[in-house]
């Protein structure tokens, strides 16, 4: 029996990506064209700039994904694209491209939830991960702690009440004059600093929700009051506070649901201190840690193709009148009190 | 030769199929700005009505703007993907050309005007020539008042066409010799697109999907502000 091939397309923010995945998780190609240089001078992603770039990049990126996978359009069994959440103008480019290809190649189309795709990025590299899992999804737009008891069934344990953790990184980095994107800049600087400043750990012992706005403000206030403080130390101390909150809650969740393993996903999962901390808590609690390679933490289309195939197998195709939904939520069983 | 034309640069979205025999089928919708939802099903509907298989399409034509950014991008991204997916060349046509073409029998100056939001219009001027129209000014974006002042200064008799002419009808209403085309012509039509593209296709005036670029006429706001800030420093 031949494999089922899915072409995935991802354009929810500032990466134009396409990938070909066989069955649930064998990645044949994964092409990402980052626009980070286009946005750096504006200190953040400019939606209109991103949308314009996606229009010119989407077909070349798809072409490259097919070539790298060594497959022809006739071999493709499903065309999947991220339909939300994200920037609406950007999402529409990928959804329109995928529906057009689905139409002209006469293949089914599946719209994908970007958050669900991130949850499944860990299975791309470790298909045999055992459930239940606790997944910490951390990016510039989201901070969500999820329990995955069964495939395609999730419980949201907690999420951020204000800023996403990546947003806090970007804002602190901007204040420190480190440029955009802020996450990697703080991560690199923190290596050379001391965790010498005691910043607050918001809500660290309360439930599973997060709050990073207060932490961000207290860092900014500290810098105002102590202009002489070393930027390296501020970066290290801020990072330590943010990571401690994330790791502590993840650990508590893993114990509560009796998880077999812990995964992280999303752009902030590329952060080296967070990756260390996840390994540490898993070692302490005898859990299986899974930290995807950096390429699968940040936005990519392999995870879109993978979840697209799983969803297609369970729920069937989507109609061609499906649009983008910038506020799409993670499909979940119910919210925990 | 079979041409698929995709038009989505205004609050209307539509497509048409045609070729040497003329336009075989076309569809448009303009309710509720559902470009992304409507376009792919429209293409499927039109090709079935025309009894054409998608792999018979030899050229994809698209309205490249200027127009409303989001709708425009849905059309261009769809058209590029159809052309790429079928391995066929493309033809890009200006939205303003598409407005002027159906009123080509008018001997006055033709002013095509598309509502650009923020109190502005995308506009260009045309003259009748044998078999069609010729653009006599570059497509630009500006205030309708300035366009009206220009017409007044030159004393042109003119026909205004497009949703920009309707939106700012009160500004143009008092100009002597200037009239507005009927509302049914307010949006670019996919059928006109197929007709104009057919002429270009006979001249093999093609672009590769990777070379087709939408015409925005405005820079993104952040880019505009950034450039102004740098100028003032």
């Amino acid at each position: 029996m031949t494999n089922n091939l899915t072409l995935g397309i991802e354009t929810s923010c500032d990466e134009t990506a396409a990938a070909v995945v066989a069955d649930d998780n064998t990645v044949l190609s994964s092409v990402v064209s980052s626009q980070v240089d286009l946005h750096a001078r504006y200190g953040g992603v400019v939606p209109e700039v991103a949308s314009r770039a996606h229009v010119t990049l989407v077909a070349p990126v798809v072409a490259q994904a097919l070539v790298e996978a060594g497959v022809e359009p006739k071999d493709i069994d499903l065309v999947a694209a991220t339909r939300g959440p994200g920037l609406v103008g950007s999402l529409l480019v990928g959804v329109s491209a995928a529906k057009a290809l689905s139409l002209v190649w006469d293949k089914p189309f599946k719209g994908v939830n970007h958050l669900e795709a991130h949850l499944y990025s860990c299975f791309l590299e470790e298909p045999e991960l055992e459930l239940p899992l606790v997944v910490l999804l951390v990016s510039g737009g989201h901070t969500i702690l999820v329990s995955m008891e069964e495939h395609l069934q999730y419980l949201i344990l907690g999420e951020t009440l204000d800023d996403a953790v990546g947003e806090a990184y970007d804002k602190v980095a901007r204040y420190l004059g480190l440029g955009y994107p802020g996450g990697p800049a703080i991560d690199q600087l923190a290596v050379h600093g001391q965790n010498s400043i005691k910043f607050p750990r918001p809500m660290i012992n309360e439930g599973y929700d997060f709050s990073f706005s207060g932490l961000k403000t207290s860092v900014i206030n500290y810098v105002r009051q102590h202009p002489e403080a070393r930027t390296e130390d501020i970066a290290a101390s801020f990072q330590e506070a943010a990571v401690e909150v994330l790791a502590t809650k993840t650990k508590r969740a893993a114990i509560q649901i009796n998880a077999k393993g812990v995964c992280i996903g999303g752009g902030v999962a590329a952060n080296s201190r967070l990756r260390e901390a996840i390994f540490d808590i898993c070692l302490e609690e005898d859990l299986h840690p899974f930290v995807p390679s950096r390429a699968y933490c940040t936005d990519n289309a392999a995870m879109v193709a993978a979840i697209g195939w799983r969803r297609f197998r369970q729920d069937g195709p989507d109609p061609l009148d499906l649009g983008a939904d910038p506020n799409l939520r993670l499909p979940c069983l119910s919210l925990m009190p | 030769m079979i041409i698929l034309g995709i038009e989505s640069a205004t609050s209307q979205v539509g497509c048409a199929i045609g070729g040497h025999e003329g336009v075989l089928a076309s569809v448009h919708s303009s309710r509720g700005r559902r470009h992304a939802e409507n376009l792919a099903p429209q293409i499927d509907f039109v090709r079935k009505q025309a009894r054409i298989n998608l792999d018979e399409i030899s050229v994809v034509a698209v309205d490249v703007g200027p127009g409303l950014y989001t709708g425009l991008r849905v059309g261009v991204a769809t058209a590029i993907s159809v052309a790429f997916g079928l391995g066929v060349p493309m033809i890009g046509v200006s939205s303003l050309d598409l407005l002027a073409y159906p009123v080509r029998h008018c001997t006055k100056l033709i002013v095509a005007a598309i509502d650009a939001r923020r109190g502005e219009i995308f506009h260009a001027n045309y003259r009748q020539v044998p078999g069609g129209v010729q653009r006599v000014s570059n497509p630009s974006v500006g205030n309708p008042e300035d366009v009206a002042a220009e017409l007044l200064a030159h004393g042109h008799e003119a026909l205004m066409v497009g949703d920009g002419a309707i939106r700012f009808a009160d500004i143009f209403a008092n100009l002597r010799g200037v009239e507005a085309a009927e509302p049914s012509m307010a949006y670019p039509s996919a059928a006109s697109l197929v007709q104009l593209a057919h002429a270009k296709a006979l001249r093999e005036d093609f672009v590769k999907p990777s070379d087709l670029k939408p015409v925005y006429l405005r820079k993104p706001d952040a880019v505009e502000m950034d450039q102004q800030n740098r100028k003032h420093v």
Side-chain angles (χ1 to χ4, degrees), chain B residues 6 57 98 122 146 151 192 194 208 218 225:
Chain B
I6 293 174
I57 291 169
L98 293 177
F122 300 118
D146 294 346
L151 288 173
S192 294
V194 166
K208 286 186 288 189
R218 278 194 197 119
M225 277 163 56

Side-chain angles (χ1 to χ4, degrees), chain A residues 41-42 48 52 99 105, chain B residues 36-37 73 85 218 223 226:
Chain A
R41 64 190 302 174
Y42 308 111
E48 180 60 25
R52 291 186 183 191
K99 290 199 295 184
W105 291 341
Chain B
E37 290 82 353
R73 270 193 288 270
R218 278 194 197 119
V223 176
D226 182 64

Side-chain angles (χ1 to χ4, degrees), chain B residues 45-204:
Chain B
F45 175 76
V46 158
R47 66 107 182 163
K48 282 174 181 157
Q49 292 291 308
R51 284 179 283 123
I52 294 287
N53 290 324
L54 285 165
D55 58 11
E56 293 174 63
I57 291 169
S58 43
V59 183
V60 178
V62 63
D63 178 345
V64 292
L68 302 178
Y69 299 161
T70 301
L72 174 61
R73 270 193 288 270
V74 165
V76 172
T78 302
I80 287 177
S81 302
V82 169
F84 162 75
L86 294 172
V88 300
M90 300 189 74
I91 291 172
V93 180
S94 160
S95 54
L96 295 165
D97 292 3
L98 293 177
L99 283 176
Y101 181 72
V103 292
R104 61 190 174 277
H105 303 294
C106 169
T107 53
K108 299 178 187 175
L109 182 74
I110 299 164
V111 181
I114 290 174
D115 185 1
R117 304 287 152 92
R118 308 181 195 179
E120 293 187 315
I121 51 174
F122 300 118
H123 61 95
N125 296 346
Y126 296 79
R127 284 279 182 203
Q128 186 189 43
V129 291
V133 289
Q134 185 179 31
R135 192 159 66 209
V136 293
S137 74
N138 285 327
S140 42
V141 58
N143 295 323
E145 292 85 356
D146 294 346
V147 175
E150 188 82 2
L151 288 173
L152 190 67
H154 289 91
H156 287 310
E157 292 214 324
L159 178 72
M160 306 272 317
V161 61
D163 65 347
I166 292 173
R167 172 98 164 70
F168 298 103
D170 49 339
I171 293 173
F172 300 104
N174 300 324
L175 298 174
R176 186 192 297 269
V178 174
E179 59 177 343
E182 56 176 309
S184 67
M185 294 182 159
Y187 297 120
S189 105
S192 294
L193 172 61
V194 166
Q195 286 173 287
L196 280 178
H198 183 249
K200 287 191 174 209
L202 293 177
R203 298 196 300 271
E204 300 195 359

